[in-house]
Amino acid sequence: MPRPFEDVPERFSFPENEEEVLKWWEEHDTFKESIRRSEGKPYYSFYDGPPFATGLPHYGHILAGTIKDIVCRYAHQTGHCVQRRFGWDCHGLPVEYEIDKKLNITGRDDVLKMGVDKYNAECRAIVMRYSKEWEATVKRVGRWIDFENDYKTMNITFMESVWWVFKQLHDKGLVYRGFKVMPYSCPCSTPLSNFEVQQNYKEVDDPSVVCAFPLLEGSGRAKGTALVAWTTTPWTLPSNLALCVNPEKDYVEIRDEASGTIYILMAARLAQLYPELNNEKKKKEAAKKFTELSRFKGADLKGLQYQPPFGYFESTRATGSFRVITGSFVTEESGTGIVHCAPAFGEEDYNVCMAHGVVRKGEKLVCPLDANGRFTDEVPEFQGRFVKDADKDIIKLLKEKGRVVRADPIRHSYPFCWRSDTPLIYRAVPGTFIHVEKIRDRLMANNNETYWVPSFVQEKRFHNWLESARDWAVSRNRFWGTPIPMWVSDDGEETVVIGSIAELEERTGRKITDLHREFIDDITLPSTMGKGTLKRVDEVFDCWFESGSMPYAQQHYPFENKEVFDKSFPADFIAEGIDQTRGWFYTLMVLSTALFDKPAFKNLICNGLVLAEDGQKMSKRKQNYPKPELIIDTYGADALRLYLINSPVVRAADLCFKEAGVKQNLKDIFLPWYHAYRLFVQSARTMLLQTEVAFAPQPAVALASSNTMDRWILAAANGLVAFMRTEMEAYRLYTVVPRLVDLVEQLTNWYIRMNKERFSGERGEACRKASLCTLYEVLMMLCRMMAPLTPFFCELVYRNLARASDELPESVHFMMIPEVNTAAIDEQIIADVNLMQQVIERGRTVRDRNNLSMRTPLPTATFVHSNAAALASIDKLSAYVMEELNVRSVVVRDVADVRDMVTLKCLPNHKKLGARFGPAYKGMQGKIRALTHEQLAQLLQSGSLTVDGEVFSGDDILVQMEYCGDKSEYDTDVVEGGGLLLLSTKPDEAMLAEAMAREVCAKVQKMRKEAQLRKEDELEISYSCAEGSVLAKVLKSQASYVAGRLGRNLLPASVRPQRAVTLLREEKDVRLQVLEDGKIVQKTELLTLELLRGCVFINETELAKVVPDQALREQVHNYMHCFSPEKISEKLSESPSKDQLSFVLDGQRVNLSVNAHFFLSSTDALAAGSISL
């Protein structure tokens, strides 16, 4: 049986309500119940990218989580079964870095000394450090996801599937061991992949130096001639093994006039030594600083030997070091055109030195650094020093040797480790690689099979990254991670890759209970090629390899859940930030392409970054952002969710987070929405009190309503349902969210405000029923559509509204998104109301400009347009325009008929018409300017006009309307689409009196609100002001108007019952407007207002007839005022006559008749003439 609606309080805390909803969800297990109800429905697959639990969630996590939650909730509400599992990234540098800081571990040797088992135990202990905080935050923001059935990358089942993935790649020939120059994190002692490097570039100042490399005797050059090379990494100079030139470019031999030294460098790069050559004013003087001795191709330098800056590795000269080699990678863009090559520290250096035999495969590289980037004893002057710290002293030593030609600081973009935030170096390291370049074409093809929002991230950023994808270094020289299951012979010729626990157990006869290093590092495998025993490579997987494997590993595929995997792969949807373009999105694509030649996902939403308000990165150290929990506790999670998703950040742009934006959401959206809901409930409860008929939803009544605003709001709501379904299918949240917010605003700012009298029953019961049925339908539709976005508030509203029906489920999140009712959609009425709103808004603008309050009635509003349909629209809705603009009349006029009020200004499109007519345009321009009002009106009406056989459109000739009448009488504003609004700005005295009466009514209503009174509460209102004042005259002349506005009479203090109970009494300054010499003059007068509890009004004359004794009459007064009018009504209903009250006072019976001796309200007393205003 339908139940009455619960009362809705005026004051409301959104955060407190959300906590109550959370508790209700918890008690009723609402999330799991929603999953249970969806079983058997079409499966919708979602992958959640695993975060680390070693840090607390921030706004970026909340944003991505909100997007995921919205899409998954929407999928559920459109008839899908959506399993949502949370995942945890447990391995890798983020965890190890925390332990290194805790235990003051400075290098790999410290870990080995401590023991891998103890180190990993420390890592395992902190992996889930903040998991409870994560779960609390995720739940608090309203995201529904399964934490009980989560996956962890450190679980043995997950790790086993990662092994399977790797073995599949190895069996396909996509895995190789290699020696490659890689970005390297010294504090973490491990290489990084190319996409990790992209995450943390910074602008830094580094030293740069032009170093001289003197040629050895026998070079055929003058003694002391030196090649010059430029570098921004002076620390690599001790490891120099070659100099590289471009064989095709011109080089010059010059003599520096200041020092007499002869230098060789690229002809196009002389400015590196003499920067003034780039300055036109100083160019001639700079040219005098050197003399060109000869010019030749770079190929002529090949093979020349030189003296390196340091002699640490002079012994390698015999095997080809310290010679000039050639390479096409040397350009004219920077440096001297001669590249110093340290093959251990540069990819191009390594490749060109390998090509020229300076280094050879299998031989030890010159690399005088330890695992932490410190010089070894091979460089004794700098032994034990971190390379970047040694730069300045290396330059100093070179200067002492006379090798420095120039030394300048340089500001450039340099990569930093994304975890330790320290500068990376490039160094050659052995490792395990995925041959991504082999499958590059398939990666790009599979990328084309996916759908991204926004598309430019896929088509440009991600495509460009795939287009230049490099082989992926998946090995890390670390400890806490999934060990690479590759066992290799000492000579590297025999390799075995294990793909499962069962396979390892079978090969070793040993029970495997954990796959971490401390449990398997001691395992060796017998060689099948007579090479002794095979040992596992001393590496673990890059944690990105693990997260890229999550589609398979979360299901323990292929060892379990094959059927589940088959229906969930590829994922229907994933979402993360734009920083994952070269991270998770990339690794998912690489592994799924390598395994199955298909993408791992179908649809993807990529969000931008959330920055601090000043545009800087959010920083705990700087404390430049409010903590998420503070925002949620202050404004609520719904307000935060809506703020984040109704912003450019869902289109992959950055968002500068502003607390004021969340607060504004609460004020502009949620509070009006709440009050709309509250108004409905109050109106329905009032109807029940007044008619004893409970509200019952009747969609047919709403649809059958002939009221324009009812039809409009239903059309708008159903149109939005159609729009939402289309756009959400395309994952375009950025188009859907603004439209949903707009419907809230249309409902609260227009529909509610323009229909309050209908809701209250003042326009009759039929009107009340139609309006309440309409409002109920729209509120319910709004709840169901907004439920994915603002799950808490929608739950609150829905659960109360659902009391009106026995057929509705307990939670809004069990409801489906509404179906489109095409019968309700009326595009014409939507267009009509849209135009009406524009006219009203323009009218308000004119009022503001003329300092005319909306409480002041004005004579007329005139709408001028050239389009008959637009005029008809406003004419149909003129009653609403009159009400909203507070004007006595609304007039619509065709522009052709108002020459006395409006002139048409002709503005030819000179650029377009000049190109069209050429030299003849001057003559045509004169004809255009001579067009008459009627001709221009015709152009506006028909869209075209013929002049001398030439047809002109509205694009050729722009026509503007301008008011040409008495500007002291009217002010105007342009209505979008070619209309003009003329608003009379001269109210008469009667209008000003009504404005003052409205002012008083507004103050009364404010007092009622302060006293927390309801519309149905019994109430009397009394006032007093100076006798003969403007205010006294106005309140007397406007008494009927005031009574109509307030629903009660405003009583002079002279007729106020002496024993009436005062609820609230205030003295108010009332702003008055009076006409003096035709001008409006502002004044103020004092008014005392009293709100009185409902009371009886006694007719003293009639009472004296039945109770002559004065003392007894006083007792009668006291007795009657002991009861409320409602209580007296009850007593009357219990009396035999139904209209007489009988009681005994001082032994005397008193019989009083209602509406003769007393009245239950001032309205009844006034009607009987017992009192007067």
Side-chain angles (χ1 to χ4, degrees):
M1 179 179 177
R3 297 158 293 162
F5 297 118
E6 290 181 349
D7 193 16
V8 179
E10 181 180 357
R11 298 188 180 279
F12 181 76
S13 168
F14 287 90
E16 288 177 11
N17 163 68
E18 291 176 356
E19 295 284 1
E20 290 175 9
V21 171
L22 275 175
K23 185 179 178 182
W24 188 84
W25 284 346
E26 193 77 27
E27 290 172 352
H28 294 80
D29 216 359
T30 314
F31 172 43
K32 285 186 179 177
E33 175 62 16
S34 72
I35 299 293
R36 188 192 65 75
R37 290 179 179 228
S38 68
E39 288 174 359
K41 293 182 178 179
Y43 198 83
Y44 184 89
S45 174
F46 161 70
Y47 294 161
D48 194 30
F52 288 98
T54 48
L56 293 169
H58 52 66
Y59 287 108
H61 296 120
I62 292 172
L63 166 65
T66 299
I67 292 172
K68 297 170 189 177
D69 190 52
I70 289 170
V71 173
C72 289
R73 284 181 181 273
Y74 178 82
H76 168 81
Q77 287 186 244
T78 49
H80 296 88
C81 179
V82 190
Q83 295 289 343
R84 286 155 268 183
R85 293 180 68 195
F86 203 81
W88 301 102
D89 214 338
C90 304
H91 289 146
L93 286 179
V95 182
E96 292 196 23
Y97 187 66
E98 293 294 320
I99 297 304
D100 289 353
K101 285 194 299 181
K102 174 186 173 183
L103 302 180
N104 197 28
I105 289 173
T106 59
R108 180 179 178 82
D109 290 342
D110 292 342
V111 177
L112 295 175
K113 191 181 300 182
M114 173 186 181
V116 174
D117 57 339
K118 293 183 176 64
Y119 183 81
N120 277 359
E122 290 281 350
C123 291
R124 191 187 296 269
I126 71 158
V127 160
M128 303 304 289
R129 178 196 293 170
Y130 295 117
S131 61
K132 293 300 180 187
E133 288 84 350
W134 266 88
E135 185 172 351
T137 299
V138 169
K139 287 183 176 179
R140 183 60 189 85
V141 297
R143 185 180 177 196
W144 276 2
I145 192 162
D146 189 352
F147 280 96
E148 294 178 13
N149 187 34
D150 59 3
Y151 70 86
K152 298 180 180 71
T153 60
M154 68 179 183
N155 287 350
I156 190 170
T157 53
F158 193 100
M159 296 169 72
E160 184 179 25
S161 290
V162 173
W163 277 20
W164 173 83
V165 170
F166 183 72
K167 182 173 176 60
Q168 298 303 304
L169 270 56
H170 178 268
D171 292 349
K172 290 172 181 277
L174 295 175
V175 174
Y176 66 92
R177 293 283 293 170
F179 199 74
K180 199 169 184 180
V181 176
M182 297 288 297
Y184 187 86
S185 172
C186 296
C188 299
S189 305
T190 190
L192 302 180
S193 59
N194 287 326
F195 56 82
E196 287 177 291
V197 175
Q198 300 297 322
Q199 296 186 27
N200 196 15
Y201 267 84
K202 296 184 179 183
E203 290 292 320
V204 295
D205 293 314
D206 272 332
S208 73
V209 62
V210 177
C211 184
F213 296 77
L215 292 172
L216 297 187
E217 291 184 13
S219 65
R221 306 282 174 178
K223 186 178 180 180
T225 299
L227 300 156
V228 289
W230 174 74
T231 181
T232 59
T233 54
W235 63 268
T236 62
L237 288 169
S239 306
N240 170 266
L241 294 183
L243 293 173
C244 188
V245 298
N246 189 313
E248 305 297 326
K249 300 294 182 182
D250 288 337
Y251 285 74
V252 290
E253 186 178 58
I254 63 166
R255 181 177 61 247
D256 179 70
E257 297 301 337
S259 64
T261 306
I262 297 174
Y263 296 127
I264 295 175
L265 71 163
M266 188 182 282
R269 295 304 306 160
L270 281 163
Q272 189 68 48
L273 293 190
Y274 307 102
E276 297 89 347
L277 289 171
N278 288 327
N279 188 321
E280 285 298 324
K281 294 180 179 179
K282 298 179 180 180
K283 192 173 183 179
K284 288 184 179 180
E285 287 300 315
K288 296 176 183 179
K289 293 183 178 182
F290 64 91
T291 300
E292 183 177 321
L293 302 178
S294 64
R295 184 176 287 250
F296 41 85
K297 294 295 182 182
D300 296 340
L301 298 171
K302 183 178 179 181
L304 293 180
Q305 295 192 50
Y306 63 87
Q307 183 180 343
F310 299 94
Y312 304 128
F313 303 103
E314 181 64 32
S315 62
T316 64
R317 185 183 294 276
T319 56
S321 296
F322 311 127
R323 290 173 171 78
V324 178
I325 57 179
T326 58
S328 59
F329 71 91
V330 182
T331 70
E332 300 176 344
E333 303 303 318
S334 62
T336 63
I338 299 176
V339 175
H340 131 68
C341 297
F345 305 117
E347 186 174 6
E348 288 174 330
D349 299 22
Y350 178 83
N351 292 337
V352 74
C353 285
M354 182 70 75
H356 286 273
V358 178
V359 295
R360 295 168 184 81
K361 189 174 182 180
E363 292 183 359
K364 183 181 178 182
L365 267 182
V366 170
C367 182
L369 305 183
D370 66 12
N372 296 104
R374 296 179 293 234
F375 282 111
T376 64
D377 58 4
E378 293 174 288
V379 182
E381 287 93 340
F382 307 106
Q383 182 180 353
R385 295 186 63 184
F386 177 54
V387 291
K388 297 291 284 185
D389 294 339
D391 274 340
K392 290 182 180 179
D393 289 334
I394 289 172
I395 294 172
K396 181 180 178 183
L397 186 56
L398 288 171
K399 283 181 178 179
E400 292 171 0
K401 291 183 174 189
R403 291 297 194 92
V404 176
V405 181
R406 284 189 68 92
D408 302 289
I410 181 174
R411 187 162 188 80
H412 63 158
S413 182
Y414 194 84
F416 278 62
C417 174
W418 63 277
R419 176 47 54 182
S420 65
D421 205 32
T422 55
L424 298 174
I425 64 171
Y426 282 79
R427 67 181 294 178
V429 290
T432 304
F433 297 85
I434 304 300
H435 213 324
V436 175
E437 293 166 32
K438 272 188 176 180
I439 60 172
R440 187 186 290 155
D441 291 344
R442 294 309 308 154
L443 287 173
M444 290 189 288
N446 284 330
N447 181 40
N448 292 334
E449 296 298 314
T450 62
Y451 175 80
W452 293 48
V453 174
S455 59
F456 74 84
V457 181
Q458 174 197 21
E459 295 164 0
K460 295 180 180 178
R461 188 183 180 107
F462 195 60
H463 173 83
N464 294 343
W465 182 250
L466 294 179
E467 199 170 37
S468 57
R470 311 291 292 275
D471 287 354
W472 177 11
V474 296
S475 56
R476 296 291 178 266
N477 302 107
R478 298 303 299 177
F479 306 94
W480 178 242
T482 300
I484 292 181
M486 180 183 282
W487 275 258
V488 183
S489 61
D490 289 342
D491 62 5
E493 295 296 325
E494 184 179 0
T495 298
V496 172
V497 173
I498 302 296
S500 69
I501 293 172
E503 184 182 355
L504 186 59
E505 289 179 337
E506 183 181 341
R507 282 178 174 268
T508 62
R510 176 169 159 180
K511 183 68 177 174
I512 304 298
T513 58
D514 197 313
L515 292 179
H516 286 94
R517 283 192 57 170
E518 63 269 32
F519 295 95
I520 67 167
D521 272 1
D522 65 322
I523 293 177
T524 59
L525 300 180
S527 170
T528 59
M529 299 170 60
K531 295 180 179 291
T533 58
L534 310 185
K535 298 176 183 176
R536 196 188 67 79
V537 296
D538 186 33
E539 296 159 352
V540 297
F541 280 112
D542 169 12
C543 61
W544 289 104
F545 190 88
E546 294 179 324
S547 57
S549 300
M550 65 78 57
Y552 330 103
Q554 70 167 342
Q555 303 289 356
H556 194 208
Y557 180 85
F559 309 103
E560 292 183 83
N561 303 312
K562 190 174 186 305
E563 185 179 336
V564 174
F565 173 77
D566 288 343
K567 70 177 181 180
S568 64
F569 181 84
D572 288 295
F573 167 67
I574 65 170
E576 291 295 343
I578 196 168
D579 53 329
Q580 294 301 321
T581 308
R582 295 168 180 175
W584 191 49
F585 301 158
Y586 175 70
T587 61
L588 283 173
M589 184 67 77
V590 168
L591 294 183
S592 66
T593 298
L595 290 170
F596 301 111
D597 193 21
K598 63 169 67 172
F601 53 87
K602 300 174 187 175
N603 303 288
L604 182 154
I605 294 179
C606 183
N607 62 263
L609 304 179
V610 184
L611 306 174
E613 187 169 353
D614 60 2
Q616 300 296 310
K617 187 176 180 181
M618 288 186 171
S619 165
K620 291 180 183 177
R621 179 176 57 82
K622 294 179 181 177
Q623 295 185 337
N624 59 351
Y625 65 95
K627 292 182 178 179
E629 57 267 28
L630 177 65
I631 293 295
I632 293 169
D633 290 345
T634 305
Y635 308 107
D638 279 342
L640 175 59
R641 286 169 64 113
L642 203 57
Y643 170 73
L644 290 173
I645 58 174
N646 192 25
S647 75
V649 79
V650 294
R651 299 194 299 275
D654 291 343
L655 169 67
C656 296
F657 185 89
K658 297 178 182 178
E659 181 177 349
V662 184
K663 183 178 182 180
Q664 200 68 32
N665 256 355
L666 201 66
K667 178 184 174 185
D668 294 347
I669 300 170
F670 286 96
L671 282 172
W673 186 5
Y674 175 79
H675 287 300
Y677 154 64
R678 180 170 180 264
L679 175 70
F680 169 79
V681 172
Q682 282 183 316
S683 300
R685 285 167 62 91
T686 299
M687 183 178 80
L688 178 60
L689 285 172
Q690 292 176 348
T691 66
E692 297 184 356
V693 175
F695 173 82
Q698 293 178 274
V701 171
L703 282 171
S705 175
S706 60
N707 179 272
T708 300
M709 298 309 289
D710 288 350
R711 292 167 56 209
W712 164 69
I713 197 67
L714 285 171
N718 278 278
L720 179 55
V721 173
F723 179 82
M724 181 182 192
R725 284 183 172 275
T726 300
E727 294 299 290
M728 284 298 290
E729 289 298 321
Y731 294 87
R732 288 190 287 264
L733 270 67
Y734 59 87
T735 62
V736 174
V737 177
R739 284 282 298 270
L740 285 166
V741 170
D742 181 63
L743 180 62
V744 175
E745 293 174 348
Q746 295 283 10
L747 178 69
T748 58
N749 293 340
W750 291 95
Y751 181 76
I752 295 287
R753 194 184 67 249
M754 297 170 75
N755 287 277
K756 285 184 178 178
E757 291 181 356
R758 298 175 66 223
F759 302 141
S760 65
E762 294 173 43
R763 301 280 183 89
E765 286 307 313
C767 214
R768 169 152 64 182
K769 184 177 182 180
S771 63
L772 288 180
C773 284
T774 299
L775 182 54
Y776 181 87
E777 291 303 313
V778 175
L779 285 172
M780 285 296 274
M781 290 174 74
L782 197 54
C783 276
R784 291 159 66 182
M785 286 190 285
M786 288 289 284
L789 284 70
T790 55
F792 293 106
F793 186 65
C794 290
E795 189 74 284
L796 167 87
V797 174
Y798 170 84
R799 286 181 56 210
N800 198 15
L801 296 183
R803 294 170 69 89
S805 171
D806 289 332
E807 299 175 1
L808 295 174
E810 304 94 305
S811 170
V812 70
H813 303 293
F814 300 160
M815 296 285 286
M816 297 295 103
I817 296 295
E819 295 295 332
V820 180
N821 189 330
T822 54
I825 298 178
D826 186 332
E827 296 297 341
Q828 184 58 53
I829 208 164
I830 291 174
D832 289 348
V833 173
N834 180 53
L835 179 60
M836 178 196 76
Q837 290 173 334
Q838 291 184 54
V839 169
I840 291 168
E841 285 166 354
R842 294 303 91 215
R844 290 171 182 163
T845 300
V846 173
R847 275 184 171 274
D848 290 342
R849 196 161 56 226
N850 289 273
N851 198 27
L852 288 166
S853 164
M854 284 301 302
R855 291 178 183 141
T856 305
L858 295 175
T860 187
T862 303
F863 177 60
V864 180
H865 208 285
S866 59
N867 184 280
L871 294 171
S873 295
I874 297 303
D875 192 40
K876 282 188 294 186
L877 302 176
S878 59
Y880 294 111
V881 179
M882 285 172 62
E883 178 69 24
E884 290 299 306
L885 286 182
N886 193 14
V887 293
R888 296 291 193 243
S889 66
V890 173
V891 178
V892 296
R893 301 288 299 276
D894 192 300
V895 66
D897 302 331
V898 287
R899 292 193 59 172
D900 58 327
M901 299 178 72
V902 175
T903 58
L904 296 179
K905 188 175 180 180
C906 174
L907 299 172
N909 186 332
H910 297 303
K911 184 177 180 180
K912 187 175 181 182
L913 295 179
R916 174 178 168 184
F917 291 102
Y921 177 50
K922 188 173 182 180
M924 181 57 72
Q925 191 174 350
K927 295 176 182 178
I928 291 172
R929 294 196 179 281
L931 292 172
T932 65
H933 182 93
E934 288 75 16
Q935 287 176 305
L936 292 174
Q938 179 190 336
L939 175 58
L940 285 174
Q941 290 166 346
S942 65
S944 66
L945 180 70
T946 302
V947 179
D948 282 359
E950 296 287 346
V951 178
F952 295 91
S953 69
D955 291 332
D956 299 323
I957 304 173
L958 178 65
V959 181
Q960 289 182 345
M961 295 185 198
E962 291 185 353
Y963 176 62
C964 61
D966 185 351
K967 293 185 180 178
S968 68
E969 291 288 336
Y970 284 91
D971 194 3
T972 66
D973 214 324
V974 175
V975 177
E976 186 180 339
L980 189 68
L981 178 70
L982 285 64
L983 190 65
S984 171
T985 56
K986 290 291 184 182
D988 58 25
E989 288 186 352
M991 295 173 184
L992 293 178
E994 183 179 314
M996 289 182 271
R998 280 179 176 242
E999 185 83 11
V1000 172
C1001 291
K1003 294 184 183 302
V1004 171
Q1005 299 289 32
K1006 186 177 180 182
M1007 287 177 66
R1008 289 174 69 157
K1009 192 172 182 179
E1010 290 171 4
Q1012 298 184 10
L1013 295 170
R1014 304 173 183 233
K1015 193 168 186 178
E1016 61 268 23
D1017 288 338
E1018 293 178 341
L1019 178 71
E1020 299 291 349
I1021 310 163
S1022 170
Y1023 78 91
S1024 63
C1025 57
E1027 192 174 342
S1029 64
V1030 173
L1031 201 50
K1033 294 174 183 175
V1034 165
L1035 290 177
K1036 188 166 186 177
S1037 66
Q1038 297 289 322
S1040 297
Y1041 175 81
V1042 171
R1045 299 276 300 185
L1046 297 178
R1048 286 163 178 75
N1049 295 287
L1050 202 57
L1051 305 175
S1054 58
V1055 300
R1056 174 196 186 280
Q1058 291 183 357
R1059 292 168 179 78
V1061 177
T1062 301
L1063 298 173
L1064 185 62
R1065 184 179 188 277
E1066 289 183 0
E1067 289 187 348
K1068 303 272 190 179
D1069 280 325
V1070 179
R1071 187 182 64 173
L1072 307 178
Q1073 301 178 85
V1074 295
L1075 283 176
E1076 293 183 2
D1077 299 326
K1079 293 183 178 179
I1080 300 175
V1081 178
Q1082 306 279 350
K1083 296 182 178 181
T1084 59
E1085 287 184 0
L1086 192 65
L1087 175 69
T1088 301
L1089 288 169
E1090 268 191 290
L1091 302 186
L1092 309 173
R1093 183 175 292 155
C1095 60
V1096 294
F1097 285 74
I1098 295 176
N1099 186 330
E1100 196 65 31
T1101 303
E1102 294 299 318
L1103 179 62
K1105 292 178 183 178
V1106 294
V1107 184
D1109 183 66
Q1110 176 65 32
L1112 186 58
R1113 285 205 303 276
E1114 287 298 317
Q1115 290 187 52
V1116 170
H1117 276 280
N1118 291 337
Y1119 177 84
M1120 294 295 286
H1121 282 285
C1122 286
F1123 304 103
S1124 67
E1126 184 180 19
K1127 189 64 178 175
I1128 291 177
S1129 292
E1130 289 179 13
K1131 288 179 175 291
L1132 286 170
S1133 66
E1134 293 168 359
S1135 69
S1137 62
K1138 305 297 184 185
D1139 64 352
Q1140 198 170 71
L1141 203 60
S1142 181
F1143 50 89
V1144 176
L1145 293 175
D1146 279 352
Q1148 297 185 46
R1149 179 161 295 280
V1150 178
N1151 296 310
L1152 301 179
S1153 297
V1154 69
N1155 295 330
H1157 302 109
F1158 69 92
F1159 304 89
L1160 295 177
S1161 69
S1162 61
T1163 303
D1164 295 343
L1166 281 166
S1170 177
I1171 60 173
S1172 63
L1173 304 179

